[in-house]
Amino acid sequence: MKLYYSPGACSLADHIALEWIGKPYEVQRVEREERAADWFRQLNPAGAVPVFEHEGWVLTQNTAILGYLADTHPEARLWGDGTPRGRAEVMRWLGFVNSDVHPAFKPMFGATAYLGDEASIEKSKDNARAQLRTLFARADAQLDGREWIAGPRSVADPYLYVVTRWTGQAGVDVGGLDHLAVFRKRMEADPAVRKVLEVQGLD
């Protein structure tokens, strides 16, 4: 198994999942400018991380990779409690992070730069921050009385952790979301997570 990642990007979630699984794997760091290179575009024409290779097969898209890892390593119990409802809960929160939270950061990553007008660009960022505050408040409510977002630990947790890491740089107010703060501390106290952060050169 091999993961191509960029430090701090959403591929961090896959890296953590691989470390949780505990089977041999390798990683290759890909800088932002390298994602436009021909060799990388052959792996993923979208020029994005994560890219995952397994026995000559290439898989892209974060949720697809996380799901594949959970399916191929059932002993790691990354689909929650293993019941149909448990798996559905993991998918619910994985979808929430992937489809609602992650795209909401786009204005802070330059997606509205095409507007040209600085005031309009900043307004789009302010709107995104307000939307993200609402989304993180939902996650905070879900974490009330739970250690992990779907109940048992699952592939949804590292992805949620990644987007919580983005809030500081993006200027998203998560103050008062105490359950979310405890979740982040729990993740960062995990030895596997600490190892991955060290490998990626992250604080």
Side-chain angles (χ1 to χ4, degrees), residues 112-113 115-127 129:
T112 54
L115 294 171
D117 174 61
E118 191 60 37
S120 297
I121 294 170
E122 196 54 41
K123 183 177 180 180
S124 74
K125 292 180 180 180
D126 288 341
N127 288 339
R129 292 184 184 106

Side-chain angles (χ1 to χ4, degrees), residues 12-63:
L12 175 60
D14 310 279
H15 198 168
I16 292 170
L18 282 164
E19 195 61 33
W20 277 352
I21 287 166
K23 298 290 181 65
Y25 70 93
E26 59 180 302
V27 293
Q28 181 169 332
R29 178 175 175 140
V30 182
E31 303 298 341
R32 186 178 184 89
E33 58 273 15
E34 288 183 283
R35 302 203 303 249
D38 289 342
W39 71 267
F40 189 75
R41 293 281 179 157
Q42 289 176 11
L43 292 169
N44 184 4
V49 291
V51 174
F52 177 75
E53 286 184 330
H54 190 206
E55 298 175 346
W57 177 61
V58 176
L59 183 62
T60 61
Q61 298 295 335
N62 217 8
T63 54

Side-chain angles (χ1 to χ4, degrees), residues 1 3 7 14 26 35 42 73 99 107 114 125 138 140 153 158 160 170 194:
M1 297 186 290
L3 176 70
D14 310 279
E26 59 180 302
R35 302 203 303 249
Q42 289 176 11
H73 300 89
S99 299
Y114 70 91
K125 292 180 180 180
R138 284 175 56 192
D140 182 73
R153 191 178 76 168
L160 176 61
R194 292 201 306 271

Side-chain angles (χ1 to χ4, degrees), residues 57-126:
W57 177 61
V58 176
L59 183 62
T60 61
Q61 298 295 335
N62 217 8
T63 54
I65 295 168
L66 290 168
Y68 178 76
L69 291 172
D71 279 339
T72 53
H73 300 89
E75 71 284 353
R77 299 183 65 83
L78 294 180
W79 278 130
D81 65 11
T83 66
R85 287 190 179 185
R87 182 185 176 113
E89 282 295 332
V90 175
M91 289 298 296
R92 181 212 300 263
W93 291 103
L94 195 59
F96 167 78
V97 177
N98 185 71
S99 299
D100 296 337
V101 181
H102 188 164
F105 278 94
K106 284 186 176 181
M108 276 75 80
F109 296 158
T112 54
Y114 70 91
L115 294 171
D117 174 61
E118 191 60 37
S120 297
I121 294 170
E122 196 54 41
K123 183 177 180 180
S124 74
K125 292 180 180 180
D126 288 341

